[in-house]
Amino acid sequence: MSSTATDVVRLLTVKGETLAVAESLTGGLVAAEITSVPGASKVFRGSVTAYATDLKRDLLGVDATLLAARGAVDPQVAAEMAMGVRKALGTDWGIATTGVAGPDPQDGQAVGTVFVAVDGPFGADSGSAGGGKVEALRLNGDRAEIRRESVRSVLALLLKELAGELTGNERAQDTERNGGF
């Protein structure tokens, strides 16, 4: 269990919000990291591991034309995966991973090419721009290292968005719950 996953669960709990995960190259590792945190069941609704491209389309609603034109390893695919899992599982937040962990390139993308995305309740009063956020990564290492860093990166991206959305009152409540002043 990572401190990032712990912080994500804590902030979602403070906000009274829920999370769903769509994973490709990480194959369930993001969901495993989140559910390793005690109390995760209060905020984590579930995940879809859509390793196959047709499942990204059929289960997560990723545009078929986009998949045909660009393949599954694409920033817009990551964004649509996050939005799709959020909608399919009825959550406040959705996060997604797609990329190439190796050993071979995929869809014309080099090993280590990864896109992580977050989709949440962004709006005029949230302090965040509308729509989802996508981060492009170029990772080095073996298959396990690329997958591990992808998990870390998507959770860090979500944590950044969650922390940016806390109101002053929620920050005070969170500080008080965690022994601060």
Side-chain angles (χ1 to χ4, degrees):
M1 155 179 51
S2 73
S3 63
T4 305
T6 301
D7 289 344
V8 162
V9 169
R10 179 178 49 80
L11 288 176
L12 285 167
T13 301
V14 166
K15 294 168 68 63
E17 294 178 342
T18 54
L19 173 66
V21 176
E23 299 186 66
S24 186
L25 84 148
T26 49
L29 293 174
V30 177
E33 189 68 20
I34 293 164
T35 58
S36 72
V37 178
S41 61
K42 294 175 189 166
V43 299
F44 185 69
R45 292 211 12 106
S47 64
V48 173
T49 300
Y51 215 62
T53 300
D54 62 316
L55 294 180
K56 291 172 182 65
R57 179 194 67 227
D58 297 344
L59 295 177
L60 298 172
V62 177
D63 182 71
T65 305
L66 171 67
L67 288 166
R70 297 192 203 161
V73 182
D74 181 82
Q76 186 61 38
V77 170
E80 289 188 19
M81 287 172 65
M83 182 174 46
V85 79
R86 180 180 174 217
K87 182 178 178 182
L89 277 60
T91 61
D92 300 296
W93 295 89
I95 58 175
T97 62
T98 188
V100 186
D104 301 313
Q106 177 188 338
D107 295 332
Q109 299 285 353
V111 172
T113 303
V114 175
F115 299 97
V116 296
V118 60
D119 189 72
F122 306 110
D125 61 344
S126 72
S128 293
K133 307 277 179 156
V134 179
E135 189 172 283
L137 308 172
R138 183 66 184 102
L139 304 175
N140 296 310
D142 64 19
R143 183 174 171 79
E145 290 168 319
I146 290 169
R147 294 173 78 215
R148 198 168 34 250
E149 183 59 23
S150 298
V151 172
R152 190 206 63 74
S153 295
V154 77
L155 290 175
L157 182 61
L158 175 59
L159 183 59
K160 180 180 171 188
E161 293 304 313
L162 286 170
E165 285 222 328
L166 281 179
T167 66
N169 189 41
E170 287 168 331
R171 277 192 205 98
Q173 288 174 2
D174 183 48
T175 302
E176 185 177 307
R177 282 191 186 118
N178 289 289
F181 299 98

